[in-house]
Structures are given as C-alpha cells and as structure tokens.
Amino acid sequence: MALRTILTVGDEMLKKKCRPVTEFNDHLATLLDDMTQTLLESGGVGLAAPQIGVLRRVVVLLDINQEPEEVIELINPEVIDMNEPEQVIEGCLSVPGTYGYVMRPTWAKIRAQDRHGNWFEREGEGIVAQCFCHETEHLDGHLFTEKVLEYVEVEQE
C-alpha cells in the first residue's frame, strides 16, 4: 500500500469524467488499498479516484455510522434512490479549508460493484448519504463548490 497525493482545486484532472472499471484485477485491488490508506491518513470521510489522478469510477468512503467505522469500496457507483435534500455543511479533501452549505439527502441508496465485480446495493444515512452523492459527483468531474449556497467558517479541531 502507498499513500497517494490528493489533487487540489485548480488541477484539471478534477474536472474530467471518469471511465467505468471493466477489469477487476490486482491493479484495481492495489488502487483500492492505496485509496483506503490515503483516505485514512487524510482524516476525510470519502475519496474518489480522480482526486488522486486516476480517471476511473472508483470511490472509498468511511461509514462512520458503523462501530467500528467501516471502509466501503464502490466501483462504478450510482445513486439509485434518495430522500428530499436538506441544507448541510460540506467540505472536500481537494478544496482544503473551504466549507459551505449545500443541498444533500439525509438518506440515499447506492448501487455499485465490489473489488471482485459483484454488484450490491447499500443504504446510508447522514454523512454517509451525503458522501455517496459527493463522491459520485467527483467521478463526473464536479466539485462541491459548484453547489455551495453559502460559504461558512468551520473551526478545525
């Protein structure tokens, strides 16, 4: 496993649409392992492959609603259901130090493949539902800053 560099706003890679994953092999497993290590070291909740310069439809995120927290690997994910969005505060590892109010669901269901190519569905609440939406938008070349209603100051711990 290796730590990868997280790209930040201004890098053109973050604006590109990712290609679907079609080969489920050791290369993909290494990417997932590296992304998980990078996410855990970053202190973030989710990480999409384009944030480390890989234009593939791959996401890792932490389900912080589980005890202990669980890493979820999503290959070719798509949000298939959600409730009405509410205003929530959001940030992004690729836009460090910037936070703002965006509209996100408090519950969402995602469909994706695991590292072996098996399809599954998963529901998430709160920040996990928010993360499903945020990270899948990265795969289409979008940053949360495109959705910000109002920027806010957030004190860091």
Side-chain angles (χ1 to χ4, degrees):
M1 289 194 291
L3 280 178
R4 304 278 188 112
T5 300
I6 297 174
L7 305 179
T8 55
V9 67
D11 193 303
E12 289 301 310
M13 288 289 266
L14 295 171
K15 296 180 179 180
K16 297 182 186 277
K17 185 171 178 137
C18 295
R19 296 182 303 280
V21 172
T22 57
E23 293 184 33
F24 296 82
N25 53 26
D26 290 345
H27 181 71
L28 175 63
T30 298
L31 173 64
L32 287 163
D33 293 343
D34 289 356
M35 287 178 66
T36 297
Q37 183 179 3
T38 302
L39 174 63
L40 295 174
E41 289 288 325
S42 74
V45 181
L47 183 68
Q51 291 180 273
I52 59 165
V54 177
L55 294 177
R56 289 283 185 254
R57 299 187 78 76
V58 178
V59 167
V60 295
L61 60 91
L62 282 178
D63 186 340
I64 62 170
N65 298 331
Q66 300 294 318
E67 186 58 46
E69 293 177 349
E70 177 186 0
V71 175
I72 305 170
E73 299 174 344
L74 304 171
I75 316 299
N76 300 321
E78 59 180 310
V79 176
I80 57 173
D81 198 10
M82 68 180 84
N83 66 356
E84 287 296 316
E86 296 180 11
Q87 188 170 292
V88 295
I89 293 178
E90 197 162 282
C92 179
L93 294 171
S94 290
V95 191
T98 301
Y99 301 89
Y101 287 106
V102 297
M103 299 299 290
R104 294 283 188 207
T106 56
W107 172 88
K109 183 188 281 189
I110 200 157
R111 181 173 188 263
Q113 290 171 281
D114 65 18
R115 66 171 55 211
H116 307 291
N118 302 308
W119 286 98
F120 67 94
E121 292 181 2
R122 181 149 181 162
E123 296 180 29
E125 294 184 350
I127 197 162
V128 176
Q130 190 176 338
C131 201
F132 284 168
C133 298
H134 177 111
E135 300 305 333
T136 55
E137 288 174 0
H138 271 301
L139 303 179
D140 290 321
H142 299 289
L143 292 173
F144 90 103
T145 52
E146 298 170 33
K147 295 178 141 327
V148 170
L149 305 169
E150 176 185 353
Y151 288 96
V152 295
E153 294 290 323
V154 173
E155 291 198 25
Q156 299 296 310
E157 294 180 14

